[in-house]
Amino acid sequence: MVFSGIPFLYYFLPWMLLTYFIAPKSLKNAVLLLASLIFYGWGEPKYLIFMVLAILQGYFFGLLIEKHRNTGRSRLYLTASVVLSLGLLCYCKYADFFIANFNAVTGLSLPLLNIALPIGISFYTFQIISYTVDVYRGMAAQRNLVDLAAYIAMFPQLIAGPIVRYSDIADSLVNRSHTISAAAEGARRFVLGLGKKVLIANTLGELCGLFKASDEKSVLFFWLYAAAYTMHIYFDFSGYSDMAIGLGRVLGFRFMENFNYPYISGSITEFWRRWHISLGSWFRDYLYIPLGGNRVTKWRWYLNIFIVWMSTGLWHGAAWNFAMWGLMFALLLVIEKQWLLKPLEKAGPVKHIYVMLTVMLSFVLFDAVNISDAAATVAALFGGGNYPAVSPEALYYLRSYGLILIIAAIGCTPLAAKAVKAIGQKETGKKVLSVAEPVFLALLLMVCTAYLVDGSFNPFLYFRF
């Protein structure tokens, strides 16, 4: 089940919210947990066992870690929990990757396991690890299994984040308020995220699909693809995050922001402060800092950065192009921190061109089937591969998708938000917005519904992670 689907929007969600709000306070977490299990098991119920086992080990090890805090046993229980969490993730996500590479190195032919990846396992694994680590560091363990399970399995952020830490919503699990204004704020955020996903991300995804299926590629078409995919992945993932944050607000939770207009960044360092914020902060607090961060020798600091970014790349997928994607950013971040950050501050528009070109090339690598495919695409962007500069097909798709590309480019900036804010600062503007906003949101929901009924292209990119 996906947020941008008719079954979720018009069957699951209304009944879930009705049941949730009529349930007494003492049962709301139970309703949320049951709804989350139904949501997760809708398309692949057999994978519920992985989630249940992960929740149970996190719950019991959390209690044991707290009981034996400040002793060797506490560290032992933490280690066991982390090993189990990562072991399950590695088995489901990386087993065939390791086997295939082992076969390539040794010349053997060990059979692949062909394990289907349970949706969302990367996200809920990281949430369990952060919970047990925080308990080890002194946070109180959750003694109510239903409350902890509701946190781990919570359907708004289960499938594609943001990665919510238990410490951020521990109080809300027990004491949260529900108001009409909060529900309205959440609904607004959800509908806007739905529009970003359905009307922009899906349309750009169609253009990317047309490029890959084309037999008449040109340099222009390669650049159209690179630009479309770069904005496609942003609107797809940030749209999902908006919907998750909005649903959380309706249910009484405040999830952290996951994106902050990353494409306006003036450096790659800034870009990663604005892109997938919950993942970046997780790796910082649970891997980079425990490794010593930058409070070590320079060469150890470099190693820490490369370990973190190799891990970040492989978190996104079990393939070498993802590992290279992570290492590429590690190298760029080291170069920036050592030599480029100060010059970039004075570089004006050039720094934004540098960031966007780098990001576009990185997402070409991210989307590639393998490294050789990525290298061929990058070469074609700069005239390699004997492709014509322009082709009739590229010009046709430029005309057909030009408007959505312009809208997406503007939507990657805070211009629209600033315009609305400026209007709302005037008394007349407030009155106009009080009428126009609900009308706009209602129309947006109707248009998205029409697209969903009529269309078939509706994947979420981050489901595979």
Side-chain angles (χ1 to χ4, degrees):
M1 193 182 301
V2 296
F3 289 171
S4 59
I6 297 300
F8 176 83
L9 290 172
Y10 293 103
Y11 298 100
F12 175 85
L13 188 59
W15 281 105
M16 182 272 157
L17 292 177
L18 177 64
T19 306
Y20 177 82
F21 282 113
I22 65 174
K25 181 179 178 181
S26 60
L27 292 179
K28 287 193 185 298
N29 283 348
V31 171
L32 179 56
L33 174 59
L34 178 61
S36 298
L37 294 176
I38 293 172
F39 176 88
Y40 188 79
W42 187 268
E44 43 183 25
K46 63 182 179 180
Y47 293 123
L48 279 171
I49 187 63
F50 289 104
M51 177 183 288
V52 171
L53 291 174
I55 290 171
L56 290 175
Q57 72 88 3
Y59 173 73
F60 287 112
F61 276 116
L63 295 177
L64 290 170
I65 290 167
E66 182 184 53
K67 181 179 179 180
H68 299 279
R69 183 171 289 149
N70 300 322
T71 69
R73 286 189 179 185
S74 182
R75 178 181 290 271
L76 177 64
Y77 291 135
L78 172 64
T79 302
S81 179
V82 171
V83 168
L84 284 173
S85 293
L86 293 179
L88 181 61
L89 177 63
C90 287
Y91 172 75
C92 294
K93 190 170 184 175
Y94 303 104
D96 283 348
F97 174 70
F98 292 137
I99 293 172
N101 282 281
F102 180 78
N103 287 343
V105 171
T106 63
L108 298 176
S109 300
L110 298 179
L112 299 179
L113 302 179
N114 294 317
I115 303 166
L117 180 65
I119 290 175
I121 189 171
S122 297
F123 288 91
Y124 69 72
T125 296
F126 272 27
Q127 292 190 177
I128 293 171
I129 291 174
S130 70
Y131 166 72
T132 54
V133 170
D134 286 348
V135 172
Y136 177 79
R137 292 172 175 174
M139 184 183 73
Q142 174 57 258
R143 283 168 169 70
N144 187 310
L145 177 58
V146 171
D147 288 355
L148 183 66
Y151 151 69
I152 295 170
M154 196 181 299
F155 76 89
Q157 47 79 52
L158 170 66
I159 302 299
I163 300 172
V164 178
R165 302 187 195 185
Y166 175 80
S167 58
D168 290 338
I169 65 167
D171 184 63
S172 298
L173 281 169
V174 182
N175 301 302
R176 60 183 180 273
S177 59
H178 302 86
T179 64
I180 293 176
S181 61
E185 177 190 339
R188 174 183 178 276
R189 187 71 178 268
F190 179 87
V191 174
L192 289 174
L194 181 68
K196 288 167 70 173
K197 162 62 184 166
V198 174
L199 302 183
I200 300 179
N202 284 4
T203 304
L204 294 173
E206 289 176 357
L207 177 56
C208 294
L210 290 167
F211 165 81
K212 292 178 181 180
S214 172
D215 293 324
E216 297 182 24
K217 293 183 174 67
S218 62
V219 175
L220 174 62
F221 209 171
F222 275 97
W223 279 105
L224 276 178
Y225 155 72
Y229 186 78
T230 298
M231 291 187 286
H232 168 54
I233 194 170
Y234 169 70
F235 281 100
D236 187 274
F237 194 17
S238 69
Y240 188 97
S241 292
D242 286 341
M243 287 187 274
I245 292 168
L247 284 174
R249 194 75 191 97
V250 171
L251 297 172
F253 298 94
R254 284 192 178 274
F255 299 155
M256 73 179 298
E257 293 295 332
N258 216 18
F259 290 87
N260 183 23
Y261 301 108
Y263 292 162
I264 67 171
S265 301
S267 67
I268 297 302
T269 301
E270 182 185 357
F271 173 81
W272 278 106
R273 293 194 193 108
R274 294 173 174 271
W275 177 277
H276 204 341
I277 299 168
S278 64
L279 180 67
S281 64
W282 193 98
F283 273 111
R284 179 197 65 209
D285 294 342
Y286 297 102
L287 184 58
Y288 179 67
I289 292 176
L291 286 172
N294 60 359
R295 303 182 308 277
V296 292
T297 63
K298 182 172 288 188
W299 289 107
R300 177 63 187 275
W301 176 51
Y302 291 161
L303 178 61
N304 290 347
I305 291 175
F306 277 86
I307 290 173
V308 168
W309 284 97
M310 180 78 162
S311 301
T312 302
L314 287 174
W315 180 87
H316 284 86
W320 283 113
N321 62 302
F322 291 111
M324 292 300 296
W325 180 79
L327 291 174
M328 167 188 166
F329 280 113
L331 180 60
L332 286 169
L333 290 168
V334 167
I335 292 172
E336 282 192 356
K337 292 177 188 296
Q338 289 297 103
W339 299 290
L340 285 185
L341 284 182
K342 287 187 178 180
L344 284 172
E345 291 176 2
K346 305 174 184 178
V350 173
K351 63 186 178 184
H352 298 293
I353 296 172
Y354 149 72
V355 170
M356 284 311 304
L357 179 60
T358 301
V359 169
M360 286 174 65
L361 295 178
S362 78
F363 282 134
V364 166
L365 175 60
F366 189 91
D367 189 45
V369 176
N370 50 50
I371 294 175
S372 60
D373 177 56
T377 301
V378 171
L381 288 169
F382 297 97
N386 296 317
Y387 291 101
V390 180
S391 64
E393 190 174 22
L395 291 173
Y396 170 78
Y397 287 124
L398 178 60
R399 290 191 296 268
S400 300
Y401 288 88
L403 179 60
I404 194 66
L405 287 166
I406 293 171
I407 292 172
I410 295 172
C412 289
T413 73
L415 289 176
K418 286 182 178 179
V420 172
K421 184 178 180 180
I423 293 171
Q425 289 177 343
K426 299 178 181 179
E427 196 61 35
T428 304
K430 287 181 181 178
K431 293 179 181 179
V432 171
L433 287 178
S434 66
V435 175
E437 184 179 76
V439 172
F440 170 77
L441 292 173
L443 290 173
L444 181 59
L445 179 60
M446 291 173 60
V447 172
C448 288
T449 301
Y451 268 76
L452 291 172
V453 170
D454 187 56
S456 58
F457 183 86
N458 190 35
F460 269 116
L461 290 178
Y462 267 68
F463 275 16
R464 59 176 172 165
F465 308 137

